[in-house]
Amino acid sequence: DIQMTQSPASLSASLEEIVTITCQASQDIGNWLAWYQQKPGKSPQLLIYDATSLADGVPSRFSGSRSGTQYSLKISRLQVEDIGSYYCQQAHSNPRTFGGGTKLELK
Amino acid sequence: EVQLVESGGGLVQPGSSLKLSCVASGFTFSSYNMHWIRQAPKKGLEWIALIYYDSSNKYYADSVKGRFTISRDNSKNTLYLEMNSLRSEDTAMYYCAKGYYSSYFDYWGQGVMVTVSS
């Protein structure tokens, strides 16, 4: 199985700050990578797919990038509605696997 | 508007069975692969099963293989997850999710809680 190592596990940031979350894949997954946001008590929502493509309706302050087998999610200017947990997911092969998650809080 | 509504969860004893349902609306259900994903309390997400749009292929996580069965009824726009030999570690919120480009999950249900405890 492909392992997705996500960091940090938790993150405290201020409004308008730039936030970056990373995921390291245990093997080459190409661009088969998605990011999800889960607000407290809610279902996850797709943010980014194919490593860099923004899902419909997602604000442009969210962006994804790739460097080899390392993937990053960047929030350019943190807003209060961005608070929650974030997960990466590889879609290269079964079983689909998620990173362990990053809990983002306001400082 | 796409909607996925799960049902069938509850409190059950270890070793028992349960069948979850997910009724879909707002899209052509028979054209999309569907998934079940679960989340244990205060834990991360775990993909557990995939069924192709025409039921031709099914895939499972090792943690549920041989105990859980995914199925669908395209005439009823409904996805199912039959769970047998339930264990305490199966305690989780269970989400159904619509496949996006067959690889991602673009719509999720609200989830249904399954608690396995004596």
Side-chain angles (χ1 to χ4, degrees):
Chain A
D1 297 0
I2 297 173
Q3 308 301 317
M4 303 301 296
T5 303
Q6 187 172 339
S7 62
S10 63
L11 177 57
S12 182
S14 303
L15 290 176
E16 303 291 323
E17 189 174 333
I18 297 173
V19 171
T20 302
I21 299 167
T22 62
C23 249
Q24 179 72 48
S26 61
Q27 64 187 73
D28 182 18
I29 60 169
N31 286 330
W32 295 103
L33 190 283
W35 291 96
Y36 299 86
Q37 175 194 63
Q38 186 176 30
K39 296 182 181 181
K42 299 294 186 181
S43 304
Q45 175 190 354
L46 178 65
L47 294 177
I48 302 282
Y49 64 97
D50 289 350
T52 61
S53 297
L54 207 61
D56 289 345
V58 176
S60 58
R61 64 179 178 274
F62 290 92
S63 63
S65 63
R66 170 194 173 191
S67 176
T69 57
Q70 181 163 292
Y71 301 81
S72 297
L73 172 70
K74 177 182 171 183
I75 309 173
S76 60
R77 294 172 60 183
L78 185 67
Q79 303 297 303
V80 65
E81 58 265 32
D82 301 334
I83 298 311
S85 295
Y86 291 81
Y87 296 90
C88 63
Q89 174 241 329
Q90 66 83 14
H92 178 271
S93 56
N94 291 319
R96 311 285 197 246
T97 44
F98 290 90
T102 297
K103 187 173 183 180
L104 176 58
E105 298 175 325
L106 268 181
K107 189 180 290 182
Chain B
E1 180 194 4
V2 172
Q3 282 198 313
L4 298 168
V5 180
E6 302 98 334
S7 62
L11 171 63
V12 295
Q13 292 191 332
S16 60
S17 300
L18 205 57
K19 187 171 185 176
L20 306 182
S21 299
C22 169
V23 177
S25 61
F27 67 102
T28 305
F29 180 72
S30 58
S31 297
Y32 290 90
N33 297 350
M34 295 294 294
H35 302 259
W36 285 100
I37 297 155
R38 69 183 180 183
Q39 186 171 33
K42 305 291 187 184
K43 299 294 185 182
L45 299 167
E46 180 188 16
W47 171 88
I48 56 172
L50 155 66
I51 185 168
Y52 277 23
Y53 66 98
D54 59 356
S55 301
S56 59
N57 285 289
K58 302 175 185 181
Y59 297 94
Y60 299 92
D62 286 346
S63 58
V64 306
K65 199 175 296 181
R67 299 188 300 123
F68 289 12
T69 301
I70 189 171
S71 62
R72 65 192 296 162
D73 185 338
N74 286 345
S75 69
K76 295 182 178 179
N77 286 354
T78 303
L79 175 72
Y80 302 101
L81 184 68
E82 187 158 11
M83 304 184 293
N84 298 317
S85 303
L86 282 162
R87 307 166 180 167
S88 58
E89 54 264 37
D90 295 319
T91 293
M93 183 73 78
Y94 284 74
Y95 297 100
C96 66
K98 173 179 167 288
Y100 185 62
Y101 290 148
S102 297
S103 302
Y104 308 111
F105 321 114
D106 61 344
Y107 288 94
W108 300 58
Q110 85 286 354
V112 61
M113 190 67 200
V114 173
T115 303
V116 184
S117 175
S118 55

